[in-house]
Amino acid sequence: MINKIQLFKNKKDKKKKMEKENYAYLPIKDKNIKSEKNSILKNYNSNDIDNEFWIECKDCKEKIFKKDLENNFFVCPKCNKHMRMDVRDRINMITDKGSFVEINKENETIDPIKFPNYMEKVESYKNKTNESESVVTGICRINGMKSVLCVMNPNFMMGSMGSITGDKITYAFEYGAEHKMPVIICSASGGARMQEGMFSLMQMAKTSQAAGKLSEAGQIYISILTDPTTGGVAASFAMLGDIIISEPKTLIGFAGKRVVSQTIGKELPENFQTAEFMLEHGFLDMIVDRKNLKETLYKILYIHKKN
């Protein structure tokens, strides 16, 4: 008859054998391994989960499920705030599926005045956005209508206009003039890229002259202003469109509101430099919600198409 000591020894040996053959039988030690529950609680407390799935609208302060926001073209369903949009998402929203063909992608940023750490900053934005510059240019179809399309990227150095950005926009105008195609530009920019000094300011004249060539060729130029459109971009090609459209509540202007107020020595209206103010004072032709933009562009292109 097996005594109690022998029985305990047999059970212990059997347990060790099972642990050796199958790691699943190994005990979990709380002091060495974080439990899933504790990990989730920690992430929730640090807002990691909130940041992953939800976003707060800066206008109405409501929390919006990110998937709902994407399905609504990044427009707040609560207050209709048009949030900034990734350049590729905007291209996909405007163009027919698979119709966009990028041009001038290979152009590389230059450093004409050897500004300290400029190229390192450019490289970091290239890695961050997977884009080569602050504008993407190409040809596309919008409900079947052919067009040249330029979309500025607010995530690449705030859509600032340097020499290569100016080159790409200029070429887009020239391509439209040569191939008898309309040009559409979606602007989103903080203005000229001052790391390139005077070279960045020269892009204002260059792009404006190119817009004139498109007009001489009898093709329409549609300018779409998105938040924000300011500085040297607003002071050049963005405001030269034959038809100028804006998204709601877009910030539009050259200098900031505080600077303008100090310069003229007067208090400015609350809605100064908004799309609504600009429309009221004749600087815009229309304000269009993002969800209606593609259809609006199609109608304009259809009306102005050349037989």
Side-chain angles (χ1 to χ4, degrees), residues 142 147-151 182-186 221-224 297 301:
I142 299 174
S147 177
V148 180
L149 177 65
C150 307
V151 180
V183 174
I184 300 170
I185 300 181
C186 297
Y221 163 36
I222 305 171
S223 179
I224 303 169
L297 290 173
L301 292 174

Side-chain angles (χ1 to χ4, degrees), residues 13-72:
D13 291 342
K14 184 179 179 180
K15 186 179 180 181
K16 284 184 177 180
K17 183 179 180 182
M18 290 173 68
E19 290 174 354
K20 186 175 181 180
E21 292 176 352
N22 189 343
Y23 69 88
Y25 287 94
L26 290 172
I28 296 176
K29 297 180 180 179
D30 291 336
K31 64 180 181 180
N32 294 326
I33 302 175
K34 293 180 180 178
S35 70
E36 184 179 355
K37 183 178 180 181
N38 289 338
S39 178
I40 290 176
L41 182 62
K42 180 182 177 183
N43 287 337
Y44 178 79
N45 290 336
S46 65
N47 290 323
D48 287 348
I49 286 182
D50 276 2
N51 292 336
E52 184 69 25
F53 299 108
W54 299 83
I55 189 168
E56 183 179 86
C57 176
K58 292 181 179 179
D59 275 19
C60 67
K61 308 302 180 185
E62 289 286 336
K63 293 267 186 174
I64 311 159
F65 189 48
K66 280 190 175 181
K67 195 64 180 176
D68 291 341
L69 195 62
E70 291 174 9
N71 293 337
N72 200 39

Side-chain angles (χ1 to χ4, degrees), residues 69-70 72-76 81-83 85 89 290:
L69 195 62
E70 291 174 9
N72 200 39
F73 302 116
F74 298 92
V75 176
C76 177
K81 166 70 175 176
H82 283 52
M83 301 181 184
M85 201 174 188
D89 289 333
R290 198 172 282 168

Side-chain angles (χ1 to χ4, degrees), residues 112-164:
I113 64 172
K114 307 303 178 185
F115 193 89
N117 303 319
Y118 174 43
M119 294 311 295
E120 289 83 349
K121 189 171 185 178
V122 168
E123 285 301 318
S124 70
Y125 276 101
K126 284 183 178 181
N127 295 330
K128 180 181 175 181
T129 63
N130 292 319
E131 303 292 349
S132 60
E133 251 300 341
S134 63
V135 67
V136 176
T137 59
I139 54 175
C140 69
R141 289 186 181 272
I142 299 174
N143 288 348
M145 303 293 293
K146 290 183 70 175
S147 177
V148 180
L149 177 65
C150 307
V151 180
M152 300 196 75
N153 186 1
N155 295 323
F156 194 106
M157 297 188 73
M158 200 46 249
S160 55
M161 181 168 62
S163 300
I164 298 303

